[in-house]
């Protein structure tokens, strides 16, 4: 499904003839009728036309399948692509405790958004050297440095995270660096099953896992859903070929 492309949150809609154009005049390639990993990878790669390196953002609520899609796209594209997860910019547990955000880990203010902005700027400006990318370790429950790398061969950077399209300080600045931002969604009941399973795998019992999803993941998802119409494309993970064997 395609939506009108709105690069800025002004609320202005373009005419039908401009539906697949950004304000800068860059073509936004519509999806093919058959939603496959190969087709999405081809569409993503088209962002690199005429530029040394481009960034594709994948936004969406918790449990929608953003990281699975991002990793699948990078694997499909090979050495020409690299992965940059927002999760690496989680604040540490010590900082969350200092800020009183321990119970809201994963919420919008619990990320170092300005560090994320600076890394997006670097990957576009510094194309001739390795750039190391942090991630989040779900066993340690902490961010870890340099788990991923953006090599000079990478022309497409696939970044994913809940808040990439949000019209909020920091996230607006991050959004500017993205050639496109796609919104990844899944039905609420599917996402909740995935999120509860994630919490169980992280060591919570079922009661605490469900409570965490209800009091933290669900409110985060409600905020993210407000950014849906700022994205260039809406994708449902249900039925995608890369989700047949993994979540």
């Amino acid at each position: 499904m395609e939506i009108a492309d709105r690069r800025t949150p002004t609320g202005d809609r373009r005419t039908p003839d401009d539906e697949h154009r950004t304000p800068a005049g860059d073509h936004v390639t519509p999806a093919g009728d058959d939603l496959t990993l190969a087709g999405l990878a081809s569409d993503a790669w088209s962002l690199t036309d005429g530029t040394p390196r481009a960034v594709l953002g994948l936004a969406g609520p918790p449990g929608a399948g953003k990281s699975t899609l991002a990793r699948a796209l990078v694997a499909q594209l090979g050495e020409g692509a690299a992965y940059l997860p927002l999760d690496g910019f989680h604040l540490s547990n010590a900082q969350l405790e200092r800020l009183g955000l321990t119970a809201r880990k994963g919420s919008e203010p619990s990320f170092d958004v300005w560090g994320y902005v600076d890394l997006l700027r670097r990957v576009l400006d510094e194309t001739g050297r390795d750039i190391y990318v942090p991630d989040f370790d779900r066993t340690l429950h902490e961010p870890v440095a340099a788990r991923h790398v953006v090599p000079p061969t990478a022309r497409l950077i696939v970044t994913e995270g809940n808040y990439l399209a949000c019209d909020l300080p920091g996230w607006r600045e991050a959004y500017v660096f993205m050639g496109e931002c796609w919104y990844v969604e899944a039905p609420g009941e599917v996402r909740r099953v995935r999120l509860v399973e994630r919490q169980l795998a992280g060591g919570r019992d079922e009661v605490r896992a469900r409570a965490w999803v209800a009091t933290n993941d669900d409110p985060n998802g409600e905020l993210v859903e407000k950014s849906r119409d700022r994205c260039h494309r809406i994708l449902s993970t249900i039925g995608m070929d890369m989700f047949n064997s993994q979540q």
Side-chain angles (χ1 to χ4, degrees):
M1 173 182 176
E2 294 286 338
I3 64 169
D5 169 13
R6 292 200 292 168
R7 175 60 69 187
T8 57
T10 60
D12 295 330
R13 295 285 183 179
R14 288 190 301 282
T15 65
D17 289 342
D18 292 332
E19 185 181 6
H20 299 307
R21 307 291 291 185
T22 67
D26 296 325
H27 186 65
V28 178
T29 307
D33 292 335
D34 190 16
L35 192 63
T36 65
L37 178 58
L40 290 173
S42 177
D43 289 348
W45 186 254
S46 71
L47 298 177
T48 65
D49 291 347
T51 186
R53 180 174 282 171
V55 175
L56 169 65
L58 301 179
K66 300 179 297 297
S67 62
T68 300
L69 176 56
R71 291 173 183 272
L73 288 171
V74 170
Q76 179 77 15
L77 291 168
E79 66 179 14
Y83 178 49
L84 196 165
L86 173 63
D87 272 359
F89 293 88
H90 267 287
L91 297 180
S92 69
N93 290 332
Q95 297 304 322
L96 294 175
E97 184 176 358
R98 180 181 67 86
L99 295 169
L101 290 170
T102 301
R104 294 290 284 121
K105 190 172 188 174
S107 63
E108 183 272 326
S110 72
F111 287 87
D112 175 17
V113 62
W114 296 110
Y116 177 65
V117 169
D118 285 343
L119 188 58
L120 291 181
R121 182 184 293 112
R122 282 191 65 205
V123 299
L124 290 175
D125 289 346
E126 301 175 22
T127 58
R129 67 184 71 179
D130 286 343
I131 297 177
Y132 295 100
V133 175
D135 202 351
F136 186 80
D137 191 298
R138 294 189 182 278
T139 300
L140 300 174
H141 303 291
E142 290 275 18
V144 293
R147 176 165 284 176
H148 306 287
V149 62
V150 176
T153 56
R155 292 191 57 211
L156 181 71
I157 312 304
V158 183
T159 185
E160 53 85 15
N162 295 344
Y163 308 105
L164 272 52
C166 284
D167 183 15
L168 294 168
W171 307 107
R172 285 191 292 262
E173 286 76 6
Y175 183 79
V176 168
F177 291 109
M178 300 174 200
E180 287 186 23
C181 188
W182 298 353
Y183 190 89
V184 183
E185 62 183 11
E189 60 272 20
V190 173
R191 291 194 300 104
R192 289 186 187 94
V193 168
R194 293 174 178 174
L195 291 168
V196 168
E197 290 177 350
R198 180 183 297 175
Q199 294 304 315
L200 292 172
R204 287 188 167 92
D205 60 33
E206 186 162 354
V207 172
R208 290 191 300 154
R210 293 187 180 280
W212 181 268
V213 171
T215 61
N216 195 49
D217 289 330
D218 283 349
N220 295 342
E222 290 171 5
L223 173 62
V224 172
E225 286 170 2
K226 295 177 182 178
S227 71
R228 189 176 186 270
D229 67 351
R230 283 170 51 82
C231 295
H232 298 77
R233 169 183 252 166
I234 310 298
L235 299 173
S236 172
T237 60
I238 304 302
M240 281 191 189
D241 57 355
M242 82 274 325
F243 285 86
N244 290 338
S245 60
Q246 58 181 316
Q247 186 172 286

